[in-house]
Amino acid sequence: MSRIVLITGASRGLGRSMAEHLARAGWGVIGTYSSNRQAADEVAAGIAAAGGTARMLRFDAAEPGSIGTLVDEVQQALRDGFGAERLDALVNNAGIGELALFADTTEEQFDRVLLTNLKAPFFLTQRLLPVLADGGRVLNVSSGLARFTGPGYSAYAATKGAVEVLTRYQAQELAARGIRVNVVAPGAIATDFGGGAVRDVPQVAEAVAHQVALGRAGEADEIGSAVAAILSDDFRWVDGARIEVSGGQNL
Ligand code: NAD
C-alpha cells in the first residue's frame, strides 16, 4: 500500500505542486483547500488522470473548530479513500502574508497571520499525532524571509521564524517515535502569494532576480520537487533541519 500524505493548502501554488510531485512519487494524497472547491477538484482529477489518488477536504484555519473537524475527516478519508488507519506524512503548507510596514500593521492583520501560519500548524500537528504513523514525517513551510528582511513582512516573517524554532522542538520531542520533522524555506516563488507580485509585477521579479544567485525567482514546481525529495527515504537521516530552496537568495 502506498504512503499517505496530508498537505494543507493543496489547491494552488506550492501546495498544489507538492501534491502533484508526491502523487507522482507514489504517495496517496489528502489535500486541503480553504475556499475554491473547483480548483481542488481539478488538482484531484489531474492526479487521478496521472494514475494517482487524491482526496480534497475543506479547511479554513480561521473557522472555530476547524482543526477538530479536519482531523475527523482525515481519518474518514484514510479509511474510505485508502483503506488505511494512519498518515505517513504531514506538510503544513497553508500560509498567508499580510503586506504592511511594521508601523502600520494592525492587530487584525497580525492575528490573522499568526493564526494561519503558526497556531493552526501547531495544533493541527498536535491533534494528528495519534493518526501519524511511527516513523512518519512532518514538514513545516517557512520562508526565506525568516532569514533575511523584506519590507512589509514583519508579522509574516515573525511567524515563519517561530515555525522554524517549533520545528526543532517537534523534531526533538517526536524522535522517540521515529518521526522526523524538518522545515523547508522557499525563496521568492511565482504564485498567488502576496497578491501574485513575484509572478505579475515585472519590477518585483527583477528586484528578486538581482538578489538570487541563480538569477530569477523560483517556480512552484521547483518547491514541489524539493518537497518530494525531502519526504523520501533519501532524506532519512535529516531531522530538525531548515532546508532553504531559493536559488541562493541573499547569500
Ligand atoms: P498561495 O497564496 O498560492 O497559497 C496559500 C495556500 O494557503 C492556499 O492553498 C490557501 O488555500 C491556503 N490558505 C490560506 N489561508 C488559509 C486558511 N485560513 N486556512 C486554510 N488554508 C489557508 O501561496 P503559496 O506561494 O503557494 O504559499 C504556500 C506556502 O509557502 C505558505 O506557507 C507561504 O508562506 C510559503 N512561502 C511562499 C513563498 C512564495 O514566494 N510564494 C515564499 C516563501 C514561503
Side-chain angles (χ1 to χ4, degrees):
M1 193 188 56
S2 62
R3 288 171 169 167
I4 300 152
V5 58
L6 171 64
I7 306 166
T8 60
S11 60
R12 66 173 201 240
L14 306 189
R16 174 183 183 153
S17 178
M18 294 171 195
E20 291 168 348
H21 273 275
L22 285 163
R24 230 174 287 150
W27 291 75
V29 174
I30 303 175
T32 76
Y33 65 96
S34 53
S35 57
N36 192 340
R37 170 80 208 232
Q38 193 186 335
D41 285 346
E42 280 169 20
V43 175
I47 286 173
T53 308
R55 291 278 181 284
M56 297 302 246
L57 305 173
R58 207 181 85 75
F59 170 59
D60 183 341
E63 287 175 5
S66 58
I67 289 181
T69 305
L70 178 61
V71 171
D72 290 345
E73 289 181 358
V74 165
Q75 287 175 289
Q76 201 180 333
L78 281 168
R79 280 193 297 273
D80 299 349
F82 301 93
E85 292 293 325
R86 297 273 177 274
L87 274 179
D88 300 285
L90 163 66
V91 184
N92 286 306
N93 164 72
I96 56 168
E98 296 267 355
L99 186 61
L101 290 173
F102 169 71
D104 302 327
T105 300
T106 65
E107 205 172 330
E108 288 73 27
Q109 287 175 315
F110 182 87
D111 284 346
R112 227 176 359 252
V113 172
L114 188 69
L115 173 72
T116 313
N117 295 2
L118 183 60
K119 188 175 177 188
F122 187 107
F123 285 103
L124 179 61
T125 307
Q126 184 196 70
R127 302 279 170 80
L128 280 172
L129 286 179
V131 185
L132 198 58
D134 290 351
R137 299 115 218 242
V138 176
L139 184 64
N140 294 319
V141 177
S142 175
S143 167
L145 291 172
R147 179 173 69 80
F148 51 80
T149 51
Y153 280 113
S154 57
Y156 172 77
T159 62
K160 294 301 191 179
V163 162
E164 295 189 3
V165 173
L166 173 63
T167 299
R168 293 197 294 276
Y169 274 80
Q170 290 172 321
Q172 175 71 30
E173 295 188 18
L174 301 183
R177 290 182 51 197
I179 295 171
R180 58 182 178 81
V181 188
N182 293 296
V183 58
V184 65
I189 317 293
T191 66
D192 288 339
F193 183 82
V198 172
R199 186 191 53 209
D200 301 333
V201 182
Q203 296 91 320
V204 174
E206 210 174 294
V208 164
H210 285 297
Q211 298 163 0
V212 173
L214 293 179
R216 61 171 173 83
E219 298 293 332
D221 185 62
E222 291 164 325
I223 302 300
S225 60
V227 164
I230 293 165
L231 291 187
S232 77
D233 289 339
D234 290 346
F235 271 61
R236 62 190 173 276
W237 196 238
V238 179
D239 194 18
R242 175 184 195 272
I243 301 147
E244 189 164 307
V245 185
S246 69
Q249 191 164 2
N250 287 316
L251 295 174

